[in-house]
Amino acid sequence: MSRLSKIKLISVSLAVLISLSVLLAGCSYLTETVQDDASLLGAVSPSPSPPPVIRVPTGPAKNSLFGLAYSASSLKNPILTKNRFNLEIASLVYEGLFYVDSGFVARSQLCESYQAFGERYVFLIRGGVLFSDGSELNAKDAAYSLELARSPESLYASRLKDVKEIRATGEYTLEVTLDAPRAGFPLLLDIPLIKDGSAQDEFPPGTGPYSFLGEGQEAHLAARTNWWRGEKLPESRIELVDNAGPDALIYEFETARVSCVTADMTASEPIVFSGDFETWDYPTTTMQFIGFNARKQALSSALVRQAVSLSIDRDGICSRVMSRHASEAPLPCSPFAQSYDSALARTASYAPSKAAELLRQAGAVDADEDGALELIIGKKSYPLSFDMLTNAENSYKVSAARIIADRLRAMGIAVNLRELKWNDMEAALAAGDFDLYYGEVSLTADFDVSELISRYGAMNYGGFYSAELEEKLEKYMAAEGFLQSGAREEFYSAFLEQAPIAPVLFKSGSLLTVRGLIKNPSPTKQNIFRDFEKWEIG
């Protein structure tokens, strides 16, 4: 069964309710990501891996007070917890088969190599990796962790929805079967691995550089001496500060008891820190875009949708509204991603004169010379007048939507901007009571937009459908080496021509650190402590 065929089996009403919890969300702390790299491909060896090797870090790690916020009352299980702070800390304690770098490329971590046989993937688990309790990681642990991640209680369940079967076929060999080939599947496998059977443990054993020790006020992370990578770590002990809410977090950060925090600077209700700190931005997969109601006569024209897209001053929105905590992107892919096509994107950048020409080609004229355009289709005239929705509870989205509405008005398109509370916007989207809307969604790291543009996609509120575009998307997502594939260019070209949505920007996340305390952080969307061993602290 193909991926798109599977979508048809989903109850649309239920899917809408589920997807609305993500669309336009003020924050995106709980979303996931991973990426693929051709260099990871390799033969899967049937022979056993070598026995465990304990590597001891060279040189002593200093002992200083470096603190992080966490929640003592929330789950610490990295697969089941929904607590933001515990999720962030988890990347110091747990590791996945792959990790995702800042260019949205999957890099090998606990997976030594893998092979893809159509919809079947075979992963060779790295040998000699020990959990914090001294036991060795094997394929059963990996299978157990991924099965747990598929459960409805897990934040990772949606990214594994196409998985049919997971099984350990050898001590170090893991086999995963999907409904259909998906070249970017390794991009979804930065899911933390825990020991087989440890889901109910308060602190499940992990393979990362630190382990949990102590309880209550004495809880902390301790550097491991048997971490498989054997790197020297910047701190031997990391204090865990139980977070009691936003006000407490602000106090703990401003008094330097908590050394660093993450922030969504353009959230609906961002936490405002007033102390002296440094900001380190990192790219995310959170896309803001204009959605079209393709059921409306005027917006059923691809030329009109293209014109709207070309009228968006993306750079102006990123600079004046988002304060550069975002990057412009006319393609449904982060401009930081290896799969982004910069040359093609330049052809779709802000171009009001080109937009006006497309409107003329579509049959738009000011027939009565009142300054407003009408779309002439056959013998009928349709006013180019759009109702546009945006979430009134997020001032950044309101400002961006206002800029876009003003640009459309300048071209002769009447826009009625409706700034609605979230619940009212939910209802309007579900009912199709809109022409345009300013939306936000967090994509997976392979930038799969099928739910937004496929016929039965859960977030395709405007009813767009193009069999050709669906075919090109499915071909692209299934192509081997898809990051550099010709299928990618074919899909992106068709996407710009059809304009099912108009991407505006991709947001950045921010790591805030006490000024002067930390040098060389390299946070990523899924791991703010990426390359922690290279951090300079103090």
Side-chain angles (χ1 to χ4, degrees):
M1 180 185 294
S2 72
R3 294 174 57 246
L4 294 177
S5 297
K6 185 179 179 182
I7 292 173
K8 298 177 184 179
L9 302 179
I10 300 173
S11 165
V12 173
S13 59
L14 177 60
V16 166
L17 291 174
I18 294 172
S19 63
L20 281 170
S21 68
V22 177
L23 182 70
L24 297 172
C27 302
S28 57
Y29 296 121
L30 307 184
T31 53
E32 308 91 57
T33 314
V34 199
Q35 285 234 211
D36 179 49
D37 184 281
S39 66
L40 299 181
L41 289 168
V44 176
S45 172
S47 61
S49 297
V53 176
I54 298 179
R55 301 179 179 88
V56 180
T58 57
K62 62 182 178 179
N63 185 4
S64 62
L65 293 181
F66 179 82
L68 298 174
Y70 95 120
S71 174
S73 60
S74 300
L75 285 175
K76 286 71 171 187
N77 184 314
I79 300 173
L80 299 181
T81 188
K82 293 178 174 62
N83 180 267
R84 163 193 165 191
F85 303 110
N86 293 355
L87 279 169
E88 292 173 349
I89 290 172
S91 59
L92 290 170
V93 180
Y94 305 94
E95 299 167 313
L97 293 173
F98 301 90
Y99 73 87
V100 186
D101 68 15
S102 58
F104 296 102
V105 174
R107 303 297 184 186
S108 178
Q109 195 165 43
L110 298 179
C111 173
E112 188 168 302
S113 63
Y114 75 92
Q115 283 187 308
F117 305 93
E119 66 276 5
R120 185 168 61 91
Y121 284 79
V122 180
F123 302 94
L124 180 65
I125 305 300
R126 189 179 299 276
V129 175
L130 301 183
F131 284 109
S132 56
D133 66 354
S135 61
E136 187 190 6
L137 169 74
N138 59 41
K140 287 185 178 180
D141 301 309
Y144 174 79
S145 300
L146 295 185
E147 285 289 2
L148 188 63
R150 294 175 69 191
S151 65
E153 298 81 13
S154 172
L155 289 171
Y156 299 100
S158 62
R159 70 162 76 173
L160 298 179
K161 66 182 185 299
D162 295 330
V163 172
K164 290 177 61 178
E165 184 181 28
I166 302 170
R167 62 193 184 106
T169 56
E171 186 175 4
Y172 300 102
T173 308
L174 176 72
E175 186 173 303
V176 180
T177 305
L178 308 180
D179 281 340
R182 182 167 183 167
F185 183 55
L187 308 178
L188 311 182
L189 295 179
D190 60 344
I191 297 168
L193 301 188
I194 63 175
K195 185 176 179 178
D196 183 13
S198 67
Q200 301 305 315
D201 294 357
E202 183 177 8
F203 302 111
T207 64
Y210 289 85
S211 60
F212 286 103
L213 288 180
E215 298 179 357
Q217 296 299 316
E218 296 300 317
H220 63 279
L221 300 183
R224 293 178 54 195
T225 58
N226 60 348
W227 182 36
W228 65 276
R229 286 182 57 194
E231 301 276 357
K232 176 184 176 182
L233 298 168
E235 295 290 320
S236 61
R237 177 186 175 113
I238 296 176
E239 304 300 326
L240 296 180
V241 181
D242 195 10
N243 178 59
D247 291 339
L249 180 63
I250 292 172
Y251 174 77
E252 300 289 3
F253 180 62
E254 292 179 353
T255 57
R257 190 166 178 230
V258 168
S259 305
C260 60
V261 295
T262 56
D264 180 348
M265 302 297 223
T266 59
S268 296
E269 296 181 2
I271 299 176
V272 179
F273 298 92
S274 59
D276 190 17
F277 58 83
E278 296 175 280
T279 303
W280 314 82
D281 276 8
Y282 51 89
T284 76
T285 59
T286 302
M287 178 178 71
Q288 293 186 358
F289 62 97
I290 292 292
F292 301 107
N293 192 339
R295 299 183 183 94
K296 300 297 180 74
Q297 186 66 51
L299 289 169
S300 66
S301 167
L303 291 175
V304 173
R305 298 194 300 267
Q306 285 182 52
V308 172
S309 182
L310 288 169
S311 71
I312 301 173
D313 182 7
R314 296 173 173 85
D315 183 68
I317 292 172
C318 289
S319 60
R320 298 197 299 275
V321 176
M322 308 295 283
S323 300
R324 291 298 174 190
H325 294 298
S327 301
E328 61 174 303
L331 296 175
C333 177
S334 169
F336 290 92
Q338 186 175 321
S339 55
Y340 194 72
D341 191 325
S342 299
L344 192 58
R346 284 192 289 271
T347 69
S349 297
Y350 179 50
S353 59
K354 186 177 177 181
E357 175 57 30
L358 287 174
L359 288 175
R360 285 192 289 272
Q361 292 178 26
V365 295
D366 184 5
D368 51 11
E369 298 183 352
D370 64 350
L373 295 173
E374 294 82 34
L375 191 65
I376 308 300
I377 301 178
K379 296 181 179 180
K380 291 187 177 182
S381 174
Y382 301 90
L384 280 180
S385 178
F386 300 142
D387 265 359
M388 181 174 175
L389 311 182
T390 190
N391 183 3
E393 296 166 346
N394 186 296
S395 61
Y396 300 95
K397 292 171 187 169
V398 169
S399 296
R402 288 176 179 174
I403 289 176
I404 293 170
D406 286 343
R407 293 290 186 272
L408 292 175
R409 292 177 187 128
M411 292 197 306
I413 298 175
V415 177
N416 173 37
L417 184 59
R418 296 162 57 193
E419 300 171 8
L420 304 178
K421 290 184 177 179
W422 170 236
N423 288 340
D424 294 331
M425 187 164 179
E426 269 189 316
L429 288 171
D433 181 21
F434 68 94
D435 295 306
L436 310 173
Y437 68 94
Y438 193 87
E440 177 178 298
V441 65
S442 288
L443 302 172
T444 45
D446 55 356
F447 298 96
D448 180 6
V449 290
S450 59
E451 297 287 11
L452 285 164
I453 69 173
S454 63
R455 187 175 187 178
Y456 297 99
M459 287 178 278
N460 184 3
Y461 302 108
F464 171 84
Y465 175 62
S466 167
E468 177 191 6
L469 189 61
E470 282 198 19
E471 181 181 349
K472 290 183 182 297
L473 173 59
E474 188 161 344
K475 180 180 177 182
Y476 166 46
M477 298 305 294
E480 291 188 18
F482 80 110
L483 289 177
Q484 299 86 23
S485 70
R488 177 195 67 179
E489 185 175 352
E490 286 185 17
F491 166 67
Y492 283 154
S493 297
F495 176 91
L496 292 178
E497 183 178 341
Q498 293 288 329
I501 59 174
V504 176
L505 56 84
F506 276 82
K507 293 177 61 173
S508 299
S510 299
L511 174 67
L512 313 184
T513 64
V514 173
R515 183 169 297 279
L517 177 65
I518 298 170
K519 296 180 181 179
N520 302 325
S522 52
T524 63
K525 178 181 183 291
Q526 286 303 106
N527 185 357
I528 63 170
F529 302 109
R530 179 78 263 148
D531 294 330
F532 189 65
E533 65 275 9
K534 298 178 182 177
W535 287 29
E536 296 180 23
I537 301 174

